[in-house]
Amino acid sequence: MGYRRRVLEISQQVQALHAAGAFSCLEMVDVIYNGLMRGAAGNSPDTFLMSKGHGCMAQYVILEDLGILSRQDLDLYCKPDGRLGCHPDYGVPGIEASTGSLGHGMGLATGMAYTERHVNKGDGLIFTVLSDGELQEGSTWECMMMAANLEVDNLICFLDHNGMQSFGNTAETHPRFYPIREKVEAFNWEVAEVNGHDGAAVFDAVAARKGGRPFLLIGNTVKGRGVSYMEGGAIWHYRSPNSEEYKQALDELVEISS
């Protein structure tokens, strides 16, 4: 729960950041960095791309915890003298590609997976985290089709399926969005579905994959998970808590962690 507290702490230094979107994918990103990737980030045969770049606070606080980003880096988030923007930028330690444009990360991840498997003949795994909004982009579906055709069995995608986009509930805005699993399986992907906030379940599902095909883990999550007034609230897609809301959030996170 310390990661969420750190995100909230930073939210008090800037006018806005994507705390709710970071909270929904936090456990999955934690499992990737601290359970699935081999070796330290930046010195691993594996690669991680935060395709849903607006959730980068989840990535930043974990990179800080791993000692790859400094406390000063995060304290200067989105400030003139800082190097961390509201989306990940290539060149920052631990960031393998600039992402944030919806649907862009899936193409990058597919290309990286193909190069690693079929050009470099390596065994590196490419991990990426997608958002619901990215599944509304045609480029994401094109890459899902292509990834299976390219036989990139080293591509492991996580869908942060919180059922929301910036303007509301996807079941209402895009009812033909569902079912997701069957659509992806039709492209010859291996798919599993778990509670995305259950780190052990996330790890076990990936560890149990059969292999031989691209893999998608649908992580069912709650946008703003851990803070009652954020959970399921579209307004928190891009807003920082005021001082009273900040105090309430800290109190609630303590209760959850006890």
Side-chain angles (χ1 to χ4, degrees), residues 32 41 88 90 107 148 153 158 164 203 211 246 251 253:
I32 292 169
Y90 179 72
D153 61 350
F158 296 74
M164 297 192 72
F203 179 86
Y246 173 62
D251 291 343
L253 291 178

Side-chain angles (χ1 to χ4, degrees), residues 109-132:
T110 301
M112 286 181 173
Y114 177 82
T115 300
E116 173 64 9
R117 176 65 81 226
H118 298 293
V119 178
N120 297 336
K121 308 297 183 184
D123 68 348
L125 301 173
I126 311 299
F127 299 98
T128 189
V129 175
L130 308 169
S131 66
D132 295 295

Side-chain angles (χ1 to χ4, degrees), residues 146-192:
M146 183 56 72
N149 291 336
L150 294 174
E151 300 180 342
V152 286
D153 61 350
N154 56 336
L155 177 60
I156 301 177
C157 298
F158 296 74
L159 174 61
D160 178 14
H161 182 38
N162 58 46
M164 297 192 72
Q165 55 157 327
S166 57
F167 297 113
N169 190 310
T170 53
E172 298 176 356
T173 62
H174 295 74
R176 296 295 176 265
F177 195 52
Y178 303 95
I180 296 173
R181 178 170 187 156
E182 287 82 348
K183 290 182 175 68
V184 179
E185 286 178 332
F187 286 134
N188 198 33
W189 281 55
E190 181 180 352
V191 182

Side-chain angles (χ1 to χ4, degrees), residues 98-113:
S98 299
T99 57
S101 179
L102 296 181
H104 183 58
M106 187 66 185
L108 287 171
T110 301
M112 286 181 173

